Amino acid sequence: MAALVVRGVRDMLKRADFATVPRRHRHKKKWATTEPKFPATRLALQNFDMTYSVQFGDLWPSIRVSLLSEQKYGALVNNFAAQDHVSAELEQLSARDFVKEAISHGEPEPENGQTAAPSPASWACSPNLQCFTFARGDVSCFPPARLGSLGVMDYYLMDAASLLPVLALGLQPGDTVLDLCAAPGGKTLALLQTSCCRKSEGWCLGQGKLPTSSCQGHTEYDELPGPGHLAANDLSTSRTGRLQKVLHSYVPQDIRDKNRVRVTSWDGRKWGELEGDTYDRVLVDVPCTTDRHSLHEEENNIFQRSRKKERQMLPMLQVQLLAAGLLATKPGGHVVYSTCSLSHLQNEYVVQGAIELLASQYSMEVQVEGLTHFRKLFMDTFSFFPSCQVGELVIPNLMANFGPMYFCKMCRMT
């Protein structure tokens, strides 16, 4: 019976004369201006609701409302500016240096009235970074940065969670450093902050407080204690242009003229071939779905329908970039992989995929380093997801609305 009904409908459609339908009632989908068009931001939210509700379960509603709310920022003090004056102004706003507080809390207790030196476990961070944030629940905003007395901007406003991958990298004096996907420049600027020495203040920023005599021969801004060389790369020339603007606004000309920073626009996936086994530290902050941006900005939104294939290929690109970063690292060197996405497909799975790829194709052993102690250092400022398979993930929270920021530290063993 059902088959007869279907056949009858087909026959009726064949006999129908659609030419008799008035033109005003005809509908051609490809020309229809009334077809609903969802903005990319709405498509992003629909995608996140489907995937992250499964990934995070009961945590997703809280993360969701936080992502849709105003983001908190941190003020990264420019060590090339008159930093004491800048720090004092930020403290007057009731902001606090979350890096200094975290490190001081992580140091061992002094014994017999003596100040204990930080242990390697507690001093697991790149030195000299000062970043001020407002306390949990405080939604105050920093005023825009301005040009300081030394001709550079006083501080750089950024998501404070973006500083965690740089801190986790654990730069040491004289390290050669690669920032593989550097633009727009916030993390590159943070990497440079470790290289500033201020003789007039009696201490080198690259090694903590030292006697003034230790700074003999250094200029006011001497990079000696920090990275030995910094390569900053991004495939997009327009994005490297933004990076150059940041460097010009925050780094004195005499420092830039020393060519301590090399800015390039190469394909990061080929870095293992270009400069393999070269760097002590590599930061791989890959292109991702940039979840918060995708929910708030239509411009350059990866959830635009025209970018669907690009979005689907992201994990493959991320694996290739991370593998290239590890190939560019010296044996015994360290890599930090990071994204500003909540997606485990772009986070833990990429780390595991790159490690397996290098093991099978290059017989390279890569070891993931635990960051449990690191997370404990900064748990007063950020909210961390408790169930990452590898690495750490800062999740947005209304009381501390930073992130998302995923980061994982690895050591190339062979």
Side-chain angles (χ1 to χ4, degrees), residues 160-392:
S162 297
L163 202 61
L164 295 178
V166 177
L167 288 165
L169 201 55
L171 296 183
Q172 299 298 313
D175 278 347
T176 52
V177 183
L178 168 63
D179 190 351
L180 190 60
C181 309
K187 294 182 181 68
T188 306
L189 179 62
L191 289 167
L192 278 175
Q193 298 305 304
T194 67
S195 67
C196 181
C197 167
R198 301 184 66 82
K199 177 179 177 182
S200 62
E201 296 175 10
W203 54 295
C204 286
L205 291 176
Q207 297 173 338
K209 288 209 170 186
L210 294 173
T212 305
S213 58
S214 300
C215 294
Q216 289 180 357
H218 296 188
T219 61
E220 178 72 7
Y221 302 104
D222 192 315
E223 305 95 331
L224 184 61
H229 175 77
L230 174 61
N233 178 73
D234 200 282
L235 176 61
S236 167
T237 54
S238 63
R239 286 173 59 83
T240 51
R242 293 172 61 189
L243 170 61
Q244 292 280 20
K245 288 181 180 178
V246 169
L247 295 178
H248 278 74
S249 298
Y250 287 87
V251 182
Q253 183 174 351
D254 59 332
I255 297 297
R256 301 197 308 270
D257 289 347
K258 292 179 182 178
N259 294 321
R260 197 62 176 277
V261 183
R262 176 170 56 115
V263 178
T264 55
S265 294
W266 299 343
D267 187 341
R269 295 171 295 181
K270 300 179 180 179
W271 213 277
E273 306 167 19
L274 297 170
E275 293 183 345
D277 308 331
T278 299
Y279 295 92
D280 300 296
R281 299 286 191 274
V282 176
L283 178 62
V284 187
D285 184 52
V286 294
C288 64
T289 48
T290 53
D291 292 358
R292 193 181 288 269
H293 170 88
S294 294
L295 291 177
H296 291 273
E297 301 291 338
E298 286 297 317
E299 185 178 357
N300 198 33
N301 193 314
I302 198 165
F303 283 89
Q304 293 171 354
R305 295 184 186 276
S306 60
R307 301 182 68 183
K308 181 178 180 179
K309 186 174 182 179
E310 177 187 352
R311 188 173 71 251
Q312 292 172 336
M313 296 298 291
L314 268 178
M316 172 91 55
L317 171 64
Q318 292 160 344
V319 167
Q320 292 171 331
L321 287 168
L322 177 53
L326 285 160
L327 287 168
T329 309
K330 298 176 183 177
H334 291 84
V335 172
V336 169
Y337 172 81
S338 62
T339 77
C340 48
S341 171
L342 293 164
S343 171
H344 57 72
L345 295 176
Q346 300 176 61
N347 297 339
E348 298 104 312
Y349 287 11
V350 167
V351 171
Q352 293 165 347
I355 291 175
E356 292 172 5
L357 174 68
L358 292 173
S360 63
Q361 294 193 7
Y362 296 89
S363 300
M364 180 188 295
E365 181 184 355
V366 177
Q367 180 177 310
V368 174
E369 298 199 352
L371 293 171
T372 303
H373 179 78
F374 189 89
R375 177 179 60 189
K376 290 179 179 177
L377 283 178
F378 296 103
M379 65 189 304
D380 289 341
T381 303
F382 305 102
S383 296
F384 289 90
F385 180 55
S387 304
C388 278
Q389 298 176 25
V390 291
E392 297 291 342

Side-chain angles (χ1 to χ4, degrees), residues 45-46 55 93 112 120 142 153 160 173 190 199 234 237 313 345 370:
L45 185 58
Q46 290 176 345
Q55 182 178 333
L93 298 173
N112 302 322
F142 290 102
M153 303 295 282
K199 177 179 177 182
D234 200 282
T237 54
M313 296 298 291
L345 295 176

Side-chain angles (χ1 to χ4, degrees), residues 41-42 44-46 48-49 60-71 291-297 342 396-398 401 403-404:
T41 51
R42 183 172 173 183
L45 185 58
Q46 290 176 345
F48 296 162
D49 280 335
W60 172 236
S62 171
I63 298 173
R64 185 185 196 272
V65 72
S66 302
L67 278 172
L68 293 171
S69 302
E70 186 173 356
Q71 181 181 19
D291 292 358
R292 193 181 288 269
H293 170 88
S294 294
L295 291 177
H296 291 273
E297 301 291 338
L342 293 164
N397 180 286
L398 283 179
N401 204 4

